[in-house]
Amino acid sequence: MSTSSPLPVLRGNRGAVLRRDGDALVLRRSAEEMRIPFAAIARIRAEGRAVAVELTAPGGAVPAVHRLDGVSAASAGVFASAVTNGLPSRPRDAEAVDGSTLVTVEAVTESANERRARWAKRGAITVVLGFGALSVAMGVVGGNAATWFLGVMVLIVGPAGTAVTAVGAGGMWLAYLAWFLPRHGITVEAVRVSDTTDLLGRSGNYAYTDTSGTSHRRYVKGSAATVPIAYHPAKPATAVVCHSWGRKLWDTVFCLGVLLFGLALLASAVVLAIGTFQGAYDDAMTPR
């Protein structure tokens, strides 16, 4: 059974994480998760902004070492010292085992939420870099203060419009599901399993079970003991709360407004860029 630990969680390069889980260390990388029992560790060293976990090895064999680079130097020292104090004592005359045989490795399967977050991050970076290049090109092509100012405006309005459009499009997809699933999906009663109170009122997680017996959870605003949930027959994790006709209409109109506002911001950025490249603002700073 896992136990909590006051040790810091070490976060290194490329999202790698090293943490203590009971009497073992867990090293998680992008493609795999490695569990290293304390019995397999000969020593652990803090090397500046890196931590090296050296495994036990039979006499004469080269011990395997697992490193985590890019961590906080202060956290690395605390972590290494605490783990060293927790390692089991070994008789000096005992033959060392091959620690590599005690280490278990599991492939890391990326969840749908993690995959969406990764693509959203890449998309945001691409959009900002793209509009940044466009704004610089506008300033260079126009060659005056007005076009440089318009380039800055495009750099602000373009990513903002993209973000608002993405939010609106996501909202429209949810609005579509809110209309579609109650009519063509499977409706069940979800039971409240956790409760949260914040400035916006009460909310919580509600659990429901699909036809295969698998349990799913849905975060819902409100305080009711149960709520009606409609889920997709082929994708039971895709579910919506069954709201009234008026509530669904309001959500649809609101999300459509957000989408149109985002598209309007994008259109204004495109118009400014096209006008700059066509020379519409070349004489903007010329006295009349």
Side-chain angles (χ1 to χ4, degrees), residues 52-244:
V53 181
E54 181 180 318
L55 304 186
T56 57
V62 178
V65 178
H66 299 287
R67 291 177 57 88
L68 179 65
D69 297 306
V71 302
S72 163
S75 296
V78 173
F79 190 92
S81 177
V83 172
T84 298
N85 293 333
L87 294 179
S89 59
R90 300 182 181 92
R92 293 187 177 182
D93 57 348
E95 183 179 356
V97 300
D98 185 357
S100 299
T101 62
L102 304 178
V103 175
T104 57
V105 180
E106 294 183 1
V108 174
T109 302
E110 189 179 39
S111 67
N113 288 337
E114 290 173 334
R115 184 166 55 253
R116 283 194 290 266
R118 176 168 56 85
W119 281 107
K121 182 179 180 180
R122 291 182 178 180
I125 294 174
T126 301
V127 168
V128 171
L129 291 178
F131 277 105
L134 179 61
S135 64
V136 171
M138 290 172 60
V140 172
V141 170
N144 58 53
T147 53
W148 279 107
F149 173 77
L150 293 177
V152 172
M153 292 298 298
V154 167
L155 180 58
I156 296 173
V157 173
T162 303
V164 174
T165 300
V167 171
M172 287 300 296
W173 171 248
L174 293 178
Y176 164 76
L177 292 178
W179 290 99
F180 177 82
L181 290 181
R183 297 189 61 181
H184 303 282
I186 299 175
T187 302
V188 295
E189 286 291 324
V191 180
R192 192 181 191 90
V193 294
S194 68
D195 187 69
T196 303
T197 302
D198 53 30
L199 296 176
L200 300 178
R202 294 184 62 188
S203 58
N205 286 309
Y206 289 76
Y208 65 95
T209 303
D210 61 30
T211 54
S212 68
T214 303
S215 179
H216 305 272
R217 291 194 176 192
R218 186 79 180 175
Y219 181 79
V220 180
K221 296 291 294 183
S223 59
T226 62
V227 294
I229 293 284
Y231 66 87
H232 197 290
K235 302 175 182 178
T238 301
V240 295
V241 178
C242 298
H243 290 300
S244 66

Side-chain angles (χ1 to χ4, degrees), residues 164-176 178-179 247-263:
V164 174
T165 300
V167 171
M172 287 300 296
W173 171 248
L174 293 178
Y176 164 76
W179 290 99
R247 168 67 182 275
K248 291 188 291 187
L249 180 61
W250 161 252
D251 289 344
T252 302
V253 172
F254 178 79
C255 293
L256 180 60
V258 173
L259 177 62
L260 294 177
F261 178 65
L263 291 174

